[in-house]
Amino acid sequence: MSVSSIDPAQSALSAPEPSTFGEEGEAAKEIQGRSPWQLAWARLRQDKVAIGSAVVILLITLVAIGAPLIAHLVGHGPGDTYPFIGEDSYGLPIGPNRTFLLGADDLGRDVLVRVVYGARVSLIAGVVASALAVLAGGIVGMLAGYFGTAVDTALSRFMDVILSFPLLLFAIALVSLVGPSLTVSIAVIAFFSWAVVGRIVRGQTLSLREKEFVEAARSLGASDLRIIFVDILPNLVAPLIVYATLLIPASIVFEATLSFLGLGVVPPTPTWGNMLSDSLPYYKVAWWFMLFPGGALLITTLAFNLLGDSVRDALDPRYARLFKA
Amino acid sequence: MGAFLVRRVLFGLLVLWIISVVVFVMFFVAPHDPARLLAGRQATASEILAIRHNLGLDRPILEQYGSWVWKLVHGDLGFSYRGSVPVRDLLGSRIPVTASLAFGAAVIWLVIGVGAGVLAAIKPRTIADRLVTFFALFFYSMPTFLLGLFFLFFFFFKLYTAGFHLFPGSGYVNLKDDPLGWADHLILPWFALALVTAAVYSRLTRGTMLDVLGEDYIRTARSKGISEGRVIVRHALRSALTPVVTQFGIDLGALLGGAIVTENVFGLPGLGQLAVQSISDQNLPVIIGIVIVASLFIVVANMCVDLLYAVLDPRVRLT
Amino acid sequence: MIHAVAPGSAPQDSDVLVRVDDVRKYFPIRTGLLRREVGRVHAVDGVSLEIRKGETLGIVGETGCGKSTLARCIARLYDLTAGTVVFDGRDISRLSRRRMRPLRKGIQMIFQDPIGSLNPRRRVGSIIGDPFAIHGISRGEDRKHQVQELMRVVGLNPEHYNRFPAEFSGGQRQRIGVARALALRPKLIIADEPVSALDVSIQAQILNLLTDLQDEFGLTYIFIAHDLSVVRHVSDRIAVMYLGKIVEVASVSELYARPRHPYTNALLSAVPVPDPDQADQRERIILVGDVPSPINPPSGCRFHPRCPKAQNLCTEVDPPLEVKKDDRAEHVAACHFPVEVGEKLSRARAGIAQPERQAAVEVSHEAVEGAIGPKEKT
Ligand SMILES: Nc1ncnc2c1ncn2[C@@H]1O[C@H](COP(=O)(O)OP(=O)(O)O)[C@@H](O)[C@H]1O
Ligand code: SF4
Ligand SMILES: [Mg+2]
């Protein structure tokens, strides 16, 4: 068989065979093997909002890690009460001064030290709960989407049911039975967040499964396991990262809410949520008691939301940014 | 439409059934003595025995479940161990408060969210758009209870000390006793609860509105000389509302959760305050009652939203 | 041209690489909570074919007629609803996925979409190296050398080993797909519309590459396309498909000289003719209506609602694929009233009512003279 029989009039088919590699005019780009990750990273590095929020998150993380050091420097432990120097003669918390840089709380404890320790709980709860939710949602969503049929129907219905549960109330019910703790909070948050991730991952797997590159892998004899890990998973990593960064602030808020309601980490361990709860009766006399934990909480969630938005933008510029006009 | 309705109601019933099983297992089967829990902390051994007998805990599990559900269906939620009030009556007195809070907040969040979204969409990349974006991010990152605290501090306390006695800091009055007082007591809680969620709606509306405004039929409508206001309200807004309705269904659970939190900030005597109190009292019949009633509300409301959605967008009936 | 078989003689068994016998693939349509089956897409509905060693069999037919499904059935990417596929003397139609695995080395596919068929998150080197990895043939530096050699063979720069698919142009991406298909030195390559998504100016390059590779490696091709002009230049024989069935098979020259099935005639009349004089002379056959749904295919001959020669018999009896009078042994057609040489199909009038006539009026009043208009009932 040869192509010499091509009708010369069909110029379309008789274009000369080029000898060069950079065929068809559209010259191959000069960038050498820049992966989609590298491109995203490059975009992220040019994004001032992303840099700013990443720096803030980094600082908060450092502060959380260095909490004992800060406590040592200040000279007050997170649970130490100073009824005489931390409260005035009426027993009310005293405001910011040289000993208590951010003031004291209702029991005469150092607000600065407690806010710093509170960051630990928030970050751990936010990161761990999001990681668990993304992991569970990713696995379940991928299985449902990839294997389809009965597995899919069962898992999808299960996720639908979870999504129609009144979360906070079930969290309340659960905590009332097993008693509050950080572990319970994390479990509750993860349990009620994974289904959202699962639903999205399922949808994306479903469309990836129909892609020709999966068909190609199958025609080469690849096993399901290989297809899942080599062909599907790498395409899910980007959305999973985006969901993780957006889940973290949501989980932090959830944890703070549980703590605020007395359903989270048990006092005297300081969390931003239980500090705010303690501050509620004192908001008229001790603004610092409310402002500093509240401000720390808000700054943290803001930073994570901004970063998540930038990450989404960098990974897939086609998405509309949530918070950028 | 009929088939869709049947399917949707069946799914709602399925969810309710699952919730009943989960609650039953959590409270009655889990490895702890429900009689002891239900009796409260100070109960004596004989009281516990009596309760165990009353609850029929000696009977087989399935039978217990059956009779429990039977009572639930007939509105029998048992008695609060505090003062032996029927849980049903207790909840009955609290529901109007939570309902007032949730309903008002939902209206505000839809109006503000959609309104801000439309504003941002018709003038994209202007100061107005950027302001809306900024506030959306700000409120989106803000925990409901924190916003409530800030409101208390600024709009109640600071105004009060400055001599403006505009809003009360806490409490509740009945709608039919004093409608103005009712609204006055609720206005801060309403906004605290609404603004956080309104943020999401403004982004959602802005995005879909921008998409819709770019479409051909809108351009056609404009080129026909139809006024801009009419184009936006009649054509664009209509399409933009569909995702808002879906999102609203998803957010009903969040609305209720937010109401619980808000009640505890503003001292509103609703279900949320009762729930938190009941936990510190270990008052399980009340907790169970609240979970069941709230689930019922969410499932039914979700169903209504889905049906509304099916009316707005006929395609969903097929799936 | 590689002709393993003398024209006109029935192929010997040893010459046949693939024998497809009455293959059917139906996709169930399910709805509702219980996933009840409410119908079936008859995507491939009784196809029998032989592909001989070293030849290129072209398969043509409109989009949606079941070409890709047939290809996936032959490559056993789908389980067959019915029928058998014998590859290289071995019945593979019921093999499990595991048992099929070693045989996959022998059958490879090239896909239509140069973007969709390459995983965007993986480097080209690892994509082309996939076959080696999956079958445990080589690893490390060894594999890299093999992959780079393949890249050279298909005309890619081996130095681009570490690039990502997005950094290549459409034609280059299709070369990557070719390299991947070639890696295991298959006996059969099924190319499913390999150039349909490419610019016309690039199509010839890929076609030439495929032809060269066939000569070099002694490959057998099944070459799928939706129009005749592409397959014509690469195929030895052509099978014409309509709505899940093969309606005519012949060598290229036979098919062009003596198209017997009315559908083949219509397809041929749609091939652009470069010479304007010739174009004027040639009759244009405009078909009535649209392709019917494969969910409820028409009774009898599936082409009857659109066929200009349809008679009552056609609505009742499905015509078998057989050698028609005066044709060579390898030229088969499925038609009760095959088109004779010199017959003007554009003048033919169907003897049955064809429901899409209204649509046809609109088409034909703009169409060139001689188009098949609806017959006015007189
Ligand atoms: N996985 C599938 N499920 C249901 N229907 C399908 C599936 N794949 C293809 N079909 C249907 O089968 C018919 C043949 O499709 P296909 O083989 O892709 O045609 P072609 O490749 O000739 O364009 C079409 O009607 C298509 O809609
Ligand atoms: S069998 Fe009848 S309907 Fe079918 S192609 Fe031949 S003439 Fe046309
Ligand atoms: Mg196809």
Side-chain angles (χ1 to χ4, degrees):
Chain A
M1 183 174 105
S2 99
V3 194
S4 59
S5 61
I6 283 185
D7 194 337
Q10 294 219 317
S11 57
L13 289 176
S14 59
E17 169 88 329
S19 52
T20 51
F21 299 117
E23 60 184 89
E24 59 240 33
E26 180 200 326
K29 289 167 209 136
E30 278 314 303
I31 324 140
Q32 273 287 337
R34 289 240 282 171
S35 75
W37 298 117
Q38 288 165 317
L39 292 173
W41 181 239
R43 278 193 290 267
L44 206 55
R45 274 201 323 216
Q46 305 208 327
D47 186 337
K48 288 195 193 73
V49 175
I51 303 282
S53 43
V55 166
V56 170
I57 291 169
L58 197 71
L59 282 177
I60 295 170
T61 312
L62 285 178
V63 162
I65 294 170
L69 185 69
I70 294 171
H72 181 75
L73 288 179
V74 178
H76 306 148
D80 299 349
T81 54
Y82 298 91
F84 302 110
I85 52 168
E87 291 176 7
D88 63 17
S89 47
Y90 302 100
L92 294 174
I94 63 151
N97 61 22
R98 301 192 59 166
T99 337
F100 297 99
L101 293 173
L102 301 183
D105 73 1
D106 52 333
L107 299 179
R109 294 173 294 195
D110 191 327
V111 169
L112 169 67
V113 175
R114 289 179 66 78
V115 165
V116 165
Y117 269 88
R120 300 184 137 196
V121 173
S122 281
L123 288 184
I124 289 174
V127 172
V128 175
S130 311
L132 288 176
V134 165
L135 197 70
I139 291 173
V140 173
M142 210 156 70
L143 291 180
Y146 185 77
F147 290 106
T149 62
V151 183
D152 183 28
T153 314
L155 291 175
S156 299
R157 286 286 161 257
F158 183 50
M159 291 189 272
D160 283 351
V161 169
I162 289 191
L163 288 174
S164 29
F165 265 45
L167 333 177
L168 194 62
L169 277 166
F170 265 85
I172 287 178
L174 197 72
V175 170
S176 69
L177 284 174
V178 300
S181 72
L182 180 58
T183 320
V184 171
S185 296
I186 289 177
V188 164
I189 298 168
F191 184 74
F192 287 113
S193 316
W194 72 267
V196 183
V197 182
R199 196 134 82 163
I200 291 155
V201 170
R202 171 187 170 266
Q204 297 197 325
T205 310
L206 217 56
S207 77
L208 283 170
R209 188 182 64 161
E210 301 301 323
K211 287 272 157 67
E212 274 187 347
F213 63 78
V214 172
E215 195 98 61
R218 230 174 250 147
S219 77
L220 289 168
S223 62
D224 284 331
L225 215 60
R226 185 185 161 90
I227 293 176
I228 286 179
F229 281 101
V230 175
D231 292 302
I232 307 246
L233 196 58
N235 288 284
L236 288 175
V237 171
L240 284 177
I241 288 178
V242 170
Y243 282 101
T245 34
L246 291 173
L247 259 184
I248 290 174
S251 303
I252 289 177
V253 168
F254 203 155
E255 189 284 322
T257 305
L258 287 176
S259 286
F260 177 76
L261 295 176
L263 305 170
V265 176
V266 243
T269 307
T271 70
W272 294 339
N274 67 26
M275 290 181 78
L276 285 163
S277 169
D278 292 343
S279 80
L280 184 53
Y282 298 91
Y283 72 92
K284 292 176 194 163
V285 289
W287 56 267
W288 56 91
F289 191 8
M290 185 183 85
L291 183 73
F292 294 119
L297 179 55
L298 183 58
I299 287 170
T300 308
T301 53
L302 261 173
F304 273 109
N305 276 325
L306 282 171
L307 182 67
D309 207 32
S310 302
V311 168
R312 185 215 311 250
D313 193 42
L315 284 175
D316 192 348
R318 282 169 308 171
Y319 279 128
R321 272 183 100 142
L322 206 51
F323 294 114
K324 203 168 188 178
Chain B
M1 190 67 202
F4 175 78
L5 196 111
V6 170
R7 246 180 306 146
R8 192 60 194 78
V9 170
L10 281 180
F11 181 70
L13 289 177
L14 174 77
V15 174
L16 278 179
W17 175 71
I18 291 176
I19 287 176
S20 79
V21 171
V22 170
V23 169
F24 181 78
V25 169
M26 265 168 71
F27 287 96
F28 296 100
V29 186
H32 48 245
D33 186 351
R36 186 178 293 278
L37 280 172
L38 283 168
R41 269 175 234 154
Q42 298 92 356
T44 63
S46 61
E47 276 174 333
I48 292 176
L49 268 180
I51 288 176
R52 190 167 295 155
H53 181 73
N54 278 346
L55 289 173
L57 291 175
D58 27 357
R59 284 178 288 152
I61 296 264
L62 275 182
E63 203 186 313
Q64 289 181 41
Y65 174 72
S67 70
W68 180 69
V69 169
W70 181 255
K71 283 186 193 163
L72 276 188
V73 172
H74 290 81
D76 179 0
L77 295 166
F79 289 88
S80 161
Y81 93 81
R82 230 190 188 196
S84 288
V85 193
V87 171
R88 186 180 161 171
D89 298 350
L90 200 57
L91 299 190
S93 68
R94 303 294 190 119
I95 286 173
V97 182
T98 307
S100 305
L101 173 60
F103 184 75
V107 170
I108 293 176
W109 98 33
L110 285 174
V111 169
I112 292 188
V114 173
V118 170
L119 184 72
I122 52 180
K123 302 211 179 307
R125 285 161 213 292
T126 58
I127 301 282
D129 185 17
R130 278 169 214 282
L131 270 180
V132 169
T133 302
F134 172 79
F135 279 110
L137 172 68
F138 183 77
F139 286 120
Y140 179 73
S141 305
M142 177 80 87
T144 307
F145 70 91
L146 188 57
L147 188 60
L149 288 173
F150 286 163
F151 274 12
L152 266 187
F153 185 72
F154 290 108
F155 295 122
F156 165 64
F157 177 63
K158 282 288 166 192
L159 281 184
Y160 193 88
T161 49
F164 299 98
H165 301 206
L166 284 184
F167 312 110
S170 67
Y172 177 77
V173 297
N174 273 326
L175 173 61
K176 58 177 186 296
D177 296 347
D178 175 8
L180 273 182
W182 172 80
D184 194 31
H185 276 84
L186 282 171
I187 202 146
L188 288 183
W190 276 340
F191 274 92
L193 178 51
L195 285 180
V196 172
T197 334
V200 179
Y201 285 70
S202 75
R203 301 327 288 162
L204 196 68
T205 312
R206 177 184 185 268
T208 41
M209 277 289 277
L210 279 180
D211 286 350
V212 175
L213 285 174
E215 270 175 29
D216 283 346
Y217 71 99
I218 295 288
R219 283 199 218 112
T220 315
R222 276 184 183 145
S223 68
K224 280 187 191 154
I226 297 172
S227 78
E228 189 64 23
R230 216 178 142 83
V231 166
I232 284 160
V233 175
R234 269 297 177 80
H235 299 274
L237 193 55
R238 214 194 140 112
S239 325
L241 276 183
T242 325
V244 167
V245 171
T246 328
Q247 186 64 33
F248 187 67
I250 295 170
D251 284 338
L252 282 170
L255 171 65
L256 206 68
I260 294 174
V261 175
T262 313
E263 285 173 13
N264 282 289
V265 174
F266 289 97
L268 294 170
L271 286 178
Q273 204 191 41
L274 183 64
V276 171
Q277 263 170 20
S278 305
I279 286 175
S280 49
D281 297 350
Q282 288 277 305
N283 197 343
L284 290 205
V286 178
I287 298 177
I288 296 173
I290 294 176
V291 170
I292 295 284
V293 166
S295 306
L296 186 70
F297 160 75
I298 291 201
V299 169
V300 171
N302 237 320
M303 211 141 60
C304 296
V305 169
D306 277 6
L307 295 180
L308 174 67
Y309 188 53
V311 172
L312 277 182
D313 186 353
R315 275 169 309 174
V316 296
R317 287 176 220 160
L318 301 174
T319 53
Chain C
M1 298 230 178
I2 299 165
H3 270 297
V5 190
S9 67
Q12 301 292 301
D13 250 15
S14 58
D15 296 331
V16 175
L17 182 63
V18 186
R19 191 184 297 280
V20 176
D21 191 23
D22 198 27
V23 163
R24 286 158 205 269
K25 179 67 192 176
Y26 303 155
F27 295 106
I29 306 165
R30 298 177 193 279
T31 57
L33 212 60
L34 301 173
R35 318 297 302 143
R36 208 156 24 94
E37 186 177 319
V38 293
R40 289 165 148 208
V41 180
H42 298 70
V44 172
D45 204 1
V47 165
S48 302
L49 276 176
E50 272 164 2
I51 296 109
R52 301 168 201 164
K53 286 182 181 152
E55 79 165 341
T56 297
L57 175 74
I59 299 181
V60 245
E62 284 161 286
T63 300
C65 72
K67 306 179 297 293
S68 297
T69 307
L70 176 61
R72 284 164 166 81
C73 285
I74 296 173
R76 277 306 313 284
L77 289 173
Y78 287 155
D79 288 330
L80 310 185
T81 308
T84 50
V85 175
V86 176
F87 175 73
D88 212 13
R90 179 152 178 205
D91 184 350
I92 61 167
S93 32
R94 303 277 174 274
L95 291 186
S96 68
R97 229 176 120 182
R98 206 168 48 84
R99 306 267 305 280
M100 191 61 213
R101 228 179 99 116
L103 297 178
R104 296 223 176 270
K105 287 186 218 169
I107 310 172
Q108 287 297 305
M109 283 191 77
I110 298 170
F111 294 89
Q112 172 174 3
D113 180 2
I115 297 167
S117 60
L118 306 176
N119 191 335
R121 298 264 165 204
R122 299 181 59 203
R123 288 171 199 277
V124 165
S126 91
I127 292 176
I128 301 177
D130 250 2
F132 302 121
I134 289 168
H135 291 275
I137 289 171
S138 59
R139 47 178 61 243
E141 276 302 298
D142 233 21
R143 189 188 298 165
K144 185 170 178 182
H145 285 309
Q146 281 173 315
V147 169
Q148 291 189 323
E149 177 54 31
L150 275 169
M151 292 177 78
R152 212 172 336 240
V153 167
V154 299
L156 289 166
N157 185 345
E159 284 166 20
H160 294 170
Y161 183 87
N162 274 326
R163 288 195 176 184
F164 285 84
E167 297 171 83
F168 293 86
S169 64
Q172 287 172 321
R173 276 183 229 170
Q174 209 52 308
R175 286 173 194 261
I176 298 170
V178 172
R180 175 173 58 186
L182 203 61
L184 298 171
R185 295 291 131 84
K187 293 183 172 142
L188 173 70
I189 288 185
I190 306 174
D192 187 359
E193 309 208 23
V195 296
S196 303
L198 302 179
D199 275 3
V200 179
S201 57
I202 297 140
Q203 292 188 349
Q205 299 167 3
I206 298 297
L207 292 178
N208 282 327
L209 172 68
L210 289 174
T211 334
D212 293 347
L213 293 174
Q214 183 169 43
D215 292 341
E216 196 175 337
F217 299 103
L219 299 168
T220 304
Y221 284 147
I222 295 178
F223 191 103
I224 295 172
H226 61 250
D227 72 292
L228 270 166
S229 57
V230 174
V231 268
R232 150 169 212 190
H233 300 290
V234 292
S235 305
D236 302 303
R237 292 190 305 138
I238 292 179
V240 179
M241 212 171 160
Y242 183 78
L243 213 60
K245 279 183 176 299
I246 302 285
V247 296
E248 185 160 12
V249 185
S251 69
V252 175
S253 50
E254 275 273 312
L255 195 82
Y256 271 75
R258 306 165 57 91
R260 301 305 300 265
H261 198 281
Y263 181 64
T264 313
N265 279 268
L267 277 186
L268 278 171
S269 83
V271 174
V273 177
D275 179 353
D277 289 343
Q278 227 182 310
D280 280 350
Q281 285 169 15
R282 233 215 350 217
E283 65 168 356
R284 288 271 293 151
I285 302 168
I286 309 273
L287 292 176
V288 197
D290 290 324
V291 186
S293 148
I295 297 170
N296 286 309
S299 62
C301 174
R302 291 180 172 202
F303 191 48
H304 83 250
R306 304 173 74 195
C307 178
K309 296 189 72 175
Q311 304 298 328
N312 278 328
L313 175 65
C314 307
T315 64
E316 286 153 17
V317 183
D318 190 9
L321 193 61
E322 59 190 10
V323 181
K324 296 296 173 194
K325 195 165 142 287
D326 300 336
D327 283 344
R328 299 180 183 210
E330 38 133 35
H331 184 174
V332 288
C335 177
H336 294 305
F337 309 104
V339 179
E340 299 300 329
V341 179
E343 181 180 344
K344 283 276 180 238
L345 204 52
S346 50
R347 307 245 168 78
R349 292 292 178 264
I352 55 165
Q354 289 176 327
E356 294 87 350
R357 98 175 8 172
Q358 213 45 48
V361 176
E362 283 158 26
V363 174
S364 63
H365 86 257
E366 287 195 337
V368 263
E369 174 265 334
I372 298 175
K375 192 181 83 172
E376 295 298 332
K377 275 256 158 64
T378 45

